[in-house]
């Protein structure tokens, strides 16, 4: 799993969070995530069923709906 600041982390239950910071230059976890449902920021080690959506793909999803 690789991400960059501004991408979105999506958990299997559909919970979404903005990746506010990456701790490694190569984009590997953990990530600082700001969860949309609570606005809480947490250091997250995503599970194997979570996935990253690029900032560009998220913007396209929002514009299509």
């Amino acid at each position: 799993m690789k991400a960059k600041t501004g991408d979105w982390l999506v958990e299997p239950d559909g919970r979404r969070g903005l990746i506010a910071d990456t701790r490694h230059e190569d984009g590997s976890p953990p990530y600082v995530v700001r969860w949309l449902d609570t606005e809480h920021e947490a250091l997250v080690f995503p599970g194997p069923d979570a996935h990253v959506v690029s900032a560009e793909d998220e913007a396209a999803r929002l514009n299509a709906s």
Side-chain angles (χ1 to χ4, degrees):
M1 180 178 300
K2 303 290 182 186
K4 61 183 185 260
T5 300
D7 288 347
W8 292 84
L9 182 66
V10 181
E11 291 193 330
D13 63 0
R15 187 176 189 205
R16 304 175 82 79
L18 177 67
I19 297 175
D21 190 25
T22 57
R23 296 293 171 111
H24 301 285
E25 288 184 20
D26 69 353
S28 62
Y31 308 122
V32 176
V33 175
R34 184 177 311 115
W35 296 108
L36 286 181
D37 57 349
T38 63
E39 293 294 319
H40 176 75
E41 279 194 7
L43 184 64
V44 177
F45 294 81
D49 293 336
H51 65 278
V52 171
V53 176
S54 72
E56 295 83 9
D57 287 346
E58 181 69 4
R61 182 186 76 84
L62 293 174
N63 289 333
S65 39

